[in-house]
Amino acid sequence: MILKNFEALKAYLETPRNIVIIGHKNPDGDAVGSTLGLKHYLDLKGHTAQVLMPNEFPDFLHWIPGVETVYRFDRQNNQCVKALKKSEIIFLLDFNALHRVGDDMKNTLEKYENDFALIDHHQQPDEFEYMYSDTEICSTCQMVYSFIEMMGDVDLIDKNIATCLYTGIMTDTGSFRFRSTTSKTHRIIADLIDRGAENDRIHSNVYDANSYSRLQLLGQSLSNLKVLPEFKTAFITLSQEEKNKFNYEKGDTEGVVNYALSLKGIVFAVIFIEDIEQGIIKISFRSKGSFSVNKFARSYFNGGGHDNAAGGRSTISMEDTVEKFKSLLPNYKEELLVSYEE
Ligand code: 5GP
Ligand code: MN
């Protein structure tokens, strides 16, 4: 755990400030929940906090309290730049390095001489003026709860904050099932329910929001699933053509990789998703046990993340990407076979 200059930050926040809060590109439940949860808290403390996101986020997050106040850098560039100009400090949530907001926004952020304050749980964070980094914690939302607690303000947590933070803890832990879910996570979740988070509605808003075409896209993904039992590995490919056929929308493939990991005996699961617009194959990696997909994604696919969940990309064709992936597996055979004991 790294806690850098926290007392100085606390003192700095004793005066009302203009604050910008930023989440990562392609924001997920943890990015949206943590940025908005922190915004609601800072607003309650008398600050003026504005959340900026690099780009759009999935439909199943559009009900979160405060979501209508978020500015998107790709669409509302003027508002974003204005907010940045006005800001005195910039919070970076749920990512570890500036490039995770995308090149355009990164170039803009680098022009500002404001101090940055990082709250994040990804490995190998870059250095910022203020830092609260802990790779053992399941979600940035849980860290925002602890941040508010360290500020001595747990009693300020109201229904809006509780709802935001509950959402990100739930999505980043696969609904409280991953190893990163601890008794402390459950105690915090219990407290968030006591403070107004309606757990049944939150689960339903996030997980029961499928469109018919999204389910069909899932069907297509599952029929593309391939298993390599000798490496305890399974992978899914999804071409742009298949995405178009089922009216793909942002977020539609979220969680699909977990079906590959749900196969009995599989410890390494991957999904390759073609994105013609960006000219890349976007890759999600998941593992069970000791095999680190963070290292794998960093070493071969320009990515990273956590030990058991990471992402990356490739700029060669789908076919070549899958070939490259398959050709790497023999080097990891031993590691994969002992990764997880059932
Ligand atoms: P996902 O597969 O859901 O996109 O990402 C899984 C995890 O890996 C998330 O924690 C995400 O922040 C991280 N991640 C995804 N893509 C990248 C990437 O390109 N670089 C890095 N460093 N982390 C990534
Ligand atoms: Mn997260």
Side-chain angles (χ1 to χ4, degrees):
M1 199 262 268
I2 303 167
L3 189 61
K4 182 178 158 195
N5 293 338
F6 175 73
E7 287 306 322
L9 180 61
K10 193 173 173 184
Y12 186 77
L13 293 176
E14 271 162 23
T15 309
R17 303 286 179 184
N18 271 307
I19 298 172
V20 158
I21 307 170
I22 300 176
H24 56 79
K25 195 168 175 185
N26 302 325
D28 56 6
D30 194 29
V32 176
S34 62
T35 51
L36 284 169
L38 182 67
K39 172 206 155 55
H40 293 309
Y41 161 67
L42 292 171
D43 283 348
L44 280 179
K45 288 278 280 181
H47 304 289
T48 307
Q50 174 66 48
V51 175
L52 310 184
M53 286 293 177
N55 62 346
E56 67 190 306
F57 40 90
D59 272 352
F60 62 78
L61 297 173
H62 276 275
W63 57 274
I64 296 183
V67 97
E68 67 289 348
T69 67
V70 174
Y71 292 146
R72 271 176 53 183
F73 192 80
D74 62 344
R75 283 256 176 102
Q76 291 146 301
N77 195 272
N78 286 344
Q79 286 101 315
C80 288
V81 169
K82 262 191 208 155
L84 284 165
K85 276 192 182 143
K86 219 170 59 176
S87 71
E88 303 173 78
I89 182 166
I90 300 172
F91 276 82
L92 309 175
L93 263 60
D94 200 36
F95 62 98
N96 54 359
L98 278 189
H99 69 84
R100 296 278 293 122
V101 299
D103 288 342
D104 284 355
M105 194 167 181
K106 174 179 182 259
N107 292 338
T108 303
L109 287 179
E110 281 172 347
K111 290 189 199 137
Y112 293 89
E113 289 181 4
N114 302 29
D115 285 331
F116 290 100
L118 175 98
I119 305 180
D120 178 51
H121 66 139
H122 293 89
Q123 299 186 2
Q124 291 146 295
D126 281 354
E127 198 63 32
F128 297 99
E129 178 65 21
Y130 306 104
M131 294 176 76
Y132 173 29
S133 157
D134 194 339
T135 59
E136 308 261 292
I137 308 292
C138 63
S139 58
T140 302
C141 278
Q142 181 169 323
M143 297 180 70
V144 169
Y145 180 97
S146 297
F147 177 79
I148 295 173
E149 199 173 34
M150 287 190 282
M151 295 287 289
D153 287 329
V154 163
D155 283 336
L156 283 185
I157 296 181
D158 61 5
K159 183 178 174 127
N160 280 343
I161 301 174
T163 302
C164 293
L165 300 185
Y166 186 107
T167 303
I169 297 175
M170 177 187 84
T171 56
D172 257 28
T173 57
S175 299
F176 319 113
R177 55 174 289 207
F178 299 153
R179 206 166 31 164
S180 54
T181 313
T182 60
S183 57
K184 184 167 179 187
T185 307
H186 282 287
R187 277 193 288 272
I188 289 173
I189 281 295
D191 191 45
L192 294 175
I193 292 173
D194 287 343
R195 294 179 189 280
E198 292 180 70
N199 49 326
D200 54 338
R201 286 177 66 100
I202 296 173
H203 283 261
S204 182
N205 285 346
V206 171
Y207 295 118
D208 305 338
N210 283 324
S211 61
Y212 182 67
S213 57
R214 185 183 183 194
L215 287 185
Q216 286 187 308
L217 186 70
L218 172 63
Q220 179 70 61
S221 308
L222 295 181
S223 35
N224 295 352
L225 173 68
K226 299 266 186 317
V227 184
L228 304 168
E230 67 276 32
F231 301 115
K232 294 194 171 184
T233 295
F235 69 92
I236 293 170
T237 55
L238 205 53
S239 67
Q240 183 70 51
E241 201 180 327
E242 290 165 330
K243 284 159 68 184
N244 295 348
K245 186 171 162 199
F246 298 112
N247 305 319
Y248 169 83
E249 284 181 41
K250 197 112 205 158
D252 278 357
T253 52
E254 196 84 18
V256 173
V257 66
N258 295 321
Y259 286 93
L261 198 63
S262 75
L263 273 168
K264 196 167 165 60
I266 292 302
V267 301
F268 186 22
V270 186
I271 186 167
F272 300 93
I273 303 170
E274 188 176 30
D275 184 334
I276 291 280
E277 201 185 316
Q278 289 194 66
I280 61 164
I281 309 292
K282 173 77 183 95
I283 314 171
S284 288
F285 301 95
R286 299 290 185 270
S287 68
K288 270 190 187 162
S290 56
F291 180 69
S292 169
V293 288
N294 172 47
K295 277 193 207 139
F296 191 85
R298 268 177 196 271
S299 305
Y300 307 109
F301 292 101
N302 298 309
H306 312 278
D307 284 339
N308 296 126
R313 62 190 51 217
S314 142
T315 49
I316 52 180
S317 71
M318 177 69 90
E319 212 184 337
D320 291 346
T321 304
V322 171
E323 274 317 304
K324 174 179 169 181
F325 168 70
K326 283 190 188 165
S327 74
L328 291 165
L329 292 175
N331 305 334
Y332 293 94
K333 189 164 183 175
E334 300 311 316
E335 256 186 77
L336 288 165
L337 293 184
V338 301
S339 182
Y340 184 79
E341 299 297 327
E342 308 216 355

